Amino acid sequence: MSSSSADLPSLTPNQINVLVVLMVEARKLTNSELRELAGFPLTGKDNEKLVKAGLVETDRSHRPFSHELTDEGWRVVRELHTGVPPKAGGSASRSLFTLLANLHRGLDRLRVSHGDFFKQTAGQPALARLVAAGSDEGQAVPPPVTGTAPAPAGGDVEERIRAAYRELAKAPGTWVGLADLRDRLGDADRAVVDDALRAMLRRDGVRIIPVANSKSLTARDRAAAVRIGEEDNHTLSIGAA
């Protein structure tokens, strides 16, 4: 999903810290857990601001209240590094934004989403999952590419995918759901399309990632997913050539 600093809400250092902690934990956190991990709970105006902005979903059905990122929250925290660190945060906020920028660059190079990288998997840290996934057939971590990648099998299918993407995307780099994309491809063979999508990951500017908030997925979204490594992926982005 292409974004710019103009798309980012104005946030306080504490609000930013909460978003980052929720991202790296990639799960619902109670206020008790946030107090332990971030040093403070998400309450009052900070909670109200993040919920009203659609960045956090708060469960108030029992105490302690719990919070998790929405899809919009994931988008914003992924793009925080493109904005200006809040002055009130001082050097700590500047250092955090530097870290987020380098994290984004590294995951983009590996073609791995933030949600997949931070996803909690029992007994297997994120880095180990990346290495394991990279050794699978249809690897999730493509090897470094220099020059022009060879055309994937069924090159005409790639052209159809790109044409369908251009029809659906508002601008280069916009995220497009694979369910909508498959609708545009009509009777194209599912296995051939999936192979073409995996091969396209070796092309500059192509990203295919899962939706971070699985609760938002419909049966149609799940059915349209492409399996890459150990992960079902639901959205495609193709940047400007």
Side-chain angles (χ1 to χ4, degrees), residues 27-234:
R27 62 187 176 94
K28 183 181 291 187
L29 294 177
T30 66
N31 271 334
S32 298
E33 291 173 310
L34 277 174
R35 183 180 288 108
E36 179 180 350
L37 295 169
F40 57 89
L42 179 56
T43 58
K45 291 184 178 179
D46 285 336
N47 187 199
E48 181 181 350
K49 170 68 177 290
L50 294 179
V51 170
K52 187 174 181 179
L55 307 183
V56 167
E57 184 177 282
T58 296
D59 182 358
R60 298 175 177 272
S61 62
H62 56 83
R63 291 183 178 276
F65 295 162
S66 57
H67 319 274
E68 63 181 329
L69 290 176
T70 63
D71 282 344
E72 177 66 5
W74 276 99
R75 180 194 74 80
V76 166
V77 76
R78 285 196 302 264
E79 301 295 337
L80 275 174
H81 66 280
T82 66
V84 178
K87 292 182 179 179
S91 60
S93 287
R94 292 196 297 274
S95 297
L96 177 60
F97 273 51
T98 300
L99 172 63
L100 292 174
N102 281 276
L103 171 68
H104 182 86
R105 183 170 62 250
L107 295 185
D108 189 61
R109 184 177 65 250
L110 294 172
R111 311 291 198 211
V112 177
S113 72
H114 290 63
D116 185 37
F117 182 76
F118 288 116
K119 182 177 67 175
Q120 299 282 337
T121 301
Q124 191 177 32
L127 182 56
R129 285 190 288 107
L130 290 179
V131 173
S135 64
D136 289 343
E137 183 178 358
Q139 62 192 46
V141 185
V145 177
T146 58
T148 302
D156 59 326
V157 176
E158 177 178 343
E159 290 308 313
R160 290 182 63 184
I161 290 171
R162 288 180 178 274
Y165 177 85
R166 288 192 294 269
E167 292 175 4
L168 292 166
K170 296 179 180 178
T174 301
W175 290 105
V176 166
L178 292 184
D180 293 334
L181 185 82
R182 291 190 192 277
D183 285 348
R184 297 294 179 109
L185 296 177
D187 60 354
D189 183 87
R190 171 69 180 253
V192 174
V193 171
D194 286 359
D195 286 344
L197 287 169
R198 294 186 188 104
M200 286 173 66
L201 282 174
R202 293 176 172 83
R203 305 283 193 181
D204 289 341
V206 177
R207 298 183 66 198
I208 304 173
I209 67 172
V211 169
N213 183 3
S214 60
K215 293 179 181 179
S216 69
L217 292 172
T218 65
R220 176 171 169 267
D221 293 324
R222 296 179 189 279
V226 58
R227 192 77 173 177
I228 300 174
E230 298 179 343
E231 188 77 16
D232 283 337
N233 295 262
H234 314 94

